[in-house]
Amino acid sequence: LGLTLDDLRGKQSVRATFKLPHQVIELLSIAACQLGLKQKSLFDRLVEDQRILEKIAAEARGYERQVKECRQKTYVLSRNSLVALDQVARHYKLPRDILVEVSIQRLRPLLQAEQERQQQRKQVLQEMEEHWEAERQLVDRCRQRLGGDDPVLARMERQLHQYGVMVRELQALVKQGEVLEDL
């Protein structure tokens, strides 16, 4: 099967504590939520590839935190990710916390693109709500003209109902994305 005990141990979850700025902790949390991933999966994805970590470490040599206040945060990650972090941090003589912070900061452009998409969703939602209201008014006028038992009215009401479902789904999506607006 090509499995070794070391491979399986490498996937084993471990806990590691890092001192990170509040904004970085929030960034990882929001990104995981918006992407529909568990924080562990996202964290592992950011730090498991040693070659990428080495590039990040090379760029981070002169890195200075913009926020001096940090707090401890414990994350669950794979043993392989922790080993890669430790090796690269030691090799580049960087604090592991800085390496993690810079790795997480790589999510910022993705979330900025999501912020822009969120603004577009809000605009689309507003247009859809206006259209939905106009359609409701049209159905009301048709009910007055045709009566409540007309087959055309029944079709229009089904259409209005389906459109309403779509509007409510978009409202929920926009609500979920509100967390992006404060980044």
Side-chain angles (χ1 to χ4, degrees), residues 143-158:
R143 185 177 294 110
Q144 290 172 355
R145 289 181 187 161
L146 302 173
D149 58 350
D150 193 86
V152 170
L153 181 63
R155 287 185 179 140
M156 291 177 75
E157 286 174 335
R158 280 195 303 271

Side-chain angles (χ1 to χ4, degrees), residues 5-150:
L5 204 49
D6 286 339
D7 290 338
L8 295 174
R9 279 193 190 116
K11 299 292 183 195
Q12 186 179 32
S13 293
V14 295
R15 293 181 184 274
T17 301
F18 305 98
K19 277 189 155 185
L20 300 170
H22 175 72
Q23 293 87 345
V24 172
I25 294 168
E26 285 294 309
L27 181 63
L28 183 65
S29 176
I30 291 169
C33 181
Q34 289 299 308
L35 298 172
L37 299 171
K38 293 181 179 178
Q39 279 193 23
K40 178 199 182 299
S41 300
L42 183 55
F43 195 95
D44 277 340
R45 191 86 172 119
L46 291 171
V47 299
E48 69 187 350
D49 188 329
Q50 192 159 344
R51 288 184 307 253
I52 292 173
L53 271 179
E54 288 172 355
K55 289 179 184 176
I56 291 168
E59 292 174 14
R61 279 199 166 145
Y63 180 80
E64 287 188 35
R65 284 190 164 140
Q66 295 175 1
V67 177
K68 298 299 179 196
E69 278 188 42
C70 293
R71 65 179 194 153
Q72 289 190 336
K73 176 69 175 164
T74 301
Y75 288 103
V76 175
L77 62 158
S78 72
R79 186 176 301 282
N80 285 344
S81 294
L82 186 58
V83 167
L85 263 173
D86 286 340
Q87 287 176 348
V88 171
R90 216 174 308 112
H91 181 264
Y92 284 86
K93 296 178 176 68
L94 275 173
R96 207 172 59 170
D97 298 341
I98 294 293
L99 196 52
V100 168
E101 181 177 340
V102 174
S103 294
I104 293 172
Q105 291 284 8
R106 292 173 38 219
L107 295 169
R108 195 165 296 284
L110 294 174
L111 289 184
Q112 287 171 337
E114 266 307 296
Q115 281 177 321
E116 292 171 21
R117 203 170 308 144
Q118 171 72 0
Q119 291 306 314
Q120 295 302 317
R121 281 187 202 115
K122 287 172 79 171
Q123 291 175 0
V124 167
L125 175 60
Q126 182 180 356
E127 291 175 30
M128 286 178 69
E129 287 172 335
E130 290 169 2
H131 181 260
W132 190 29
E133 180 57 34
E135 200 172 317
R136 273 194 293 234
Q137 292 173 6
L138 176 61
V139 167
D140 287 344
R141 287 192 304 274
C142 288
R143 185 177 294 110
Q144 290 172 355
R145 289 181 187 161
L146 302 173
D149 58 350
D150 193 86

